[in-house]
């Protein structure tokens, strides 16, 4: 489970159960979640260029256990890694 806070769209706030089948909001408090982050953290992981491990090390995500980080990294893995084929 991942607790997400989003100051721009509060309807995104909540605890979400993420699986290979999708995501669903669950009735938990943020302290019960395996991972706690803002919309920025989950967006970085969702886009596939940043691992949950990197987000934890950067202080963007709080993890309840090491196993939660490993599971999230496997679930959100994107291969090949994303890249942008244009120049900015």
């Amino acid at each position: 489970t991942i607790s997400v806070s989003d100051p721009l769209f509060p309807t995104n706030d909540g605890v979400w159960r993420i699986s290979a089948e999708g995501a669903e909001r669950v009735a938990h408090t943020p302290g019960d979640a395996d991972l706690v982050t803002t919309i920025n953290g989950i967006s970085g992981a969702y886009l596939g260029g940043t691992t949950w491990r990197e987000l934890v090390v950067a202080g963007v995500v709080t993890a309840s256990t090491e196993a939660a980080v490993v599971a999230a990294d496997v679930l959100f893995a994107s291969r090949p890694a994303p890249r942008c084929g244009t120049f900015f």
Side-chain angles (χ1 to χ4, degrees):
T1 54
I2 302 172
S3 173
V4 178
S5 62
D6 184 346
L8 190 57
F9 295 102
T11 55
N12 290 334
D13 289 357
V15 178
W16 300 84
R17 179 176 296 121
I18 311 294
S19 70
E21 288 77 39
E24 65 177 330
R25 188 186 304 263
V26 294
H28 290 288
T29 60
D32 295 335
D34 298 313
L35 302 168
V36 178
T37 189
T38 64
I39 195 69
N40 297 340
I42 197 166
S43 296
Y46 178 74
L47 291 173
T50 308
T51 66
W52 286 95
R53 160 90 41 239
E54 292 167 333
L55 293 168
V56 169
V57 169
V60 177
V61 172
T62 302
S64 63
T65 65
E66 176 68 20
V69 178
V70 172
D73 275 342
V74 170
L75 187 61
F76 281 74
S78 175
R79 302 293 180 261
R83 71 174 191 87
C84 180
T86 61
F87 295 99
F88 289 95

